Amino acid sequence: MSTMNAKASSGDEEELSGMRSKTVGDSDPSGDIKTGQVILVAYLIATLELTFLFMQMGVMPYLAKSLGLDSVGFGYLQTTFGVLQLVGGPIFGRFADQFGTRPALILSCASGSAFFLLMSISTSIPLLFLSRLPAVFMHGLPGAQKVITDLTTPSQRADALGKLGLCFGISIIIGSALGGVLSTRFGLFVPTYVGLVGNLINTVIAMVWIPLQAKPKSDHHVTEHGTLQSGSVFSIREILRLMKFPGVMEVFIVKVFSGLPVGLFLIMFSIISMDFFGLEAVESGYLMSYFGVLQMVVQGLVVGKLSNHCTERTLLRLSVFVFAGVGLGMALMRTVWHYCIVAVPLVFAFSTLGTITDSILTKAVPSSDTGTMLGICASVQPLTRTVGPTIGGVLYKQFGVSSFGYLQLIVNIGLFVYLLKNKIPLREMKSH
């Protein structure tokens, strides 16, 4: 009975996705063109916002140091940013569901403008902390995911969401390089001015090229149970309600815990790269660029191809299995060259797991709640950034670098066995 309901729901999703395309363009040919254009604009907005974000990440330690903030204070600054993003993710998603993707992306870009404006006038430590406040609504990536989810059929979704990883890779490379060049040649505050102007341009792009509502009105406010979506944007009950849908809690647990030990390692990587690998700042920059290229190749080319030929259940199990292998590799690595080899399956597992779980979770909830679900998914990384410095610091100090690998191996073997033994209800679909 549940299988029949899942198939019927999948059919309904496909029909609704067809309706979504027609809300962007009336006739089929022009509708397809306009839908493609809107998705490309969403990719552009996400790329620009992430580029400016990575740009300020490279500059922030130097700016904080110039204002007299020590390493402990800088940790608090990073934690503040993580907590704000963690809290803001689900709220931003609810906002997108209730008011549409255009207002949501405008809110994100405008918040980015306020973020860089406050950063550009941060002449004291309190002002620097205050500049983190707009980060609560800076969610360009989930906003772009929301546009894609609204305008693609469920069978196309994993491929389209995977291409956002290409944007992420480009942003890492350009943002890191741009921040370094601008701050070195023209001063520490110049990247903040560029970020301010760039986010204002991004706001205009969202206002002009993103449609007011990408999905039909009947689909926007009514859940699949036929009840009107209600409640405040800040309603915790409405957010937690999504976890009760079949398969959602199970897949979300896999999403959070599968990459958590590696996430803790990456949070501590700036220290590990100096102490364990003995890298200089320039060499660490090259390593970041290497990661960016891997991200672009894997998410831009590999994930899309795999999603066309494999079911999402298979890819979910594969990514967890590869993550277990990554854990073993991390436990045994001794040099930076070992890490460069381990980085290939690491990026593959991270990219595949992130894309596939986002695709599964947005299909598992009513289409009127996809924004909220994407907002919850977007809170996973801020959660890691929030708890990471404390837990990662203890692991590194007490047990060394290999502890991250062993923890990664144990967690993912457990999750892999769980996925094999439990038939999590998924709406299985491959692209045609």
Side-chain angles (χ1 to χ4, degrees), residues 30-183:
S30 64
D32 288 341
I33 293 168
K34 286 186 178 180
T35 298
Q37 286 175 344
V38 172
I39 290 174
L40 284 175
V41 170
Y43 287 147
L44 175 63
I45 290 172
T47 303
L48 289 173
E49 183 161 316
L50 287 169
T51 297
F52 300 133
L53 201 58
F54 281 115
M55 184 177 67
Q56 71 85 31
M57 281 180 183
V59 174
M60 182 53 66
Y62 302 99
L63 181 58
K65 190 177 179 181
S66 72
L67 295 175
L69 198 64
D70 60 13
S71 58
V72 176
F74 183 69
Y76 290 143
L77 188 70
Q78 295 293 79
T79 301
T80 301
F81 184 84
V83 169
L84 287 167
Q85 288 256 295
L86 175 66
V87 172
I91 295 171
F92 178 85
R94 284 276 295 161
F95 182 89
D97 281 333
Q98 293 200 348
F99 299 101
T101 47
R102 188 203 286 173
L105 279 171
I106 290 171
L107 174 65
S108 177
C109 298
S111 298
S113 302
F115 176 86
F116 281 102
L117 176 63
L118 289 170
M119 197 173 158
S120 69
I121 58 170
S122 294
T123 52
S124 64
I125 292 172
L127 270 176
L128 193 62
F129 272 87
L130 184 66
S131 72
R132 307 293 93 181
L133 198 58
V136 73
F137 294 124
M138 285 169 57
H139 295 281
L141 190 61
Q145 289 175 322
K146 171 70 173 162
V147 173
I148 291 164
T149 302
D150 286 350
L151 296 179
T152 56
T153 61
S155 58
Q156 300 169 329
R157 192 168 298 168
D159 186 19
L161 288 173
K163 286 185 172 63
L164 273 172
L166 190 63
C167 305
F168 197 86
I170 292 168
S171 301
I172 290 176
I173 295 168
I174 297 176
S176 303
L178 194 60
V181 170
L182 290 175
S183 60

Side-chain angles (χ1 to χ4, degrees), residues 206-331:
M207 291 173 70
V208 175
W209 278 292
I210 297 295
L212 184 60
Q213 190 166 286
K215 56 185 171 184
K217 290 182 181 178
S218 59
D219 186 35
H220 191 70
H221 295 288
V222 182
T223 70
E224 70 179 21
H225 299 294
T227 57
L228 191 68
Q229 185 183 351
S230 59
S232 165
V233 169
F234 301 96
S235 171
I236 301 296
R237 184 175 59 83
E238 284 296 311
I239 292 167
L240 294 177
R241 172 180 62 86
L242 301 186
M243 290 296 169
K244 296 177 183 177
F245 283 89
V248 169
M249 182 61 80
E250 295 93 329
V251 173
F252 191 73
I253 286 171
V254 173
K255 183 179 182 69
V256 171
F257 288 102
S258 185
L260 183 60
V262 167
L264 298 177
F265 171 83
L266 293 174
I267 290 288
M268 300 299 297
F269 188 72
S270 58
I271 294 171
I272 291 169
S273 65
M274 288 188 292
D275 295 350
F276 187 75
F277 293 129
L279 299 182
E280 299 291 336
V282 176
E283 293 167 326
S284 293
Y286 291 149
L287 203 56
M288 283 295 289
S289 297
Y290 170 65
F291 260 92
V293 172
L294 280 180
Q295 180 99 11
M296 287 167 61
V297 171
V298 171
Q299 287 213 254
L301 302 173
V302 179
V303 176
K305 299 280 186 189
L306 283 175
S307 66
N308 289 341
H309 297 95
C310 304
T311 63
E312 289 174 338
R313 189 187 301 276
T314 302
L315 290 176
L316 183 63
R317 289 172 177 170
L318 175 64
S319 57
V320 171
F321 181 76
V322 172
F323 252 147
V326 166
L328 181 61
M330 286 175 62

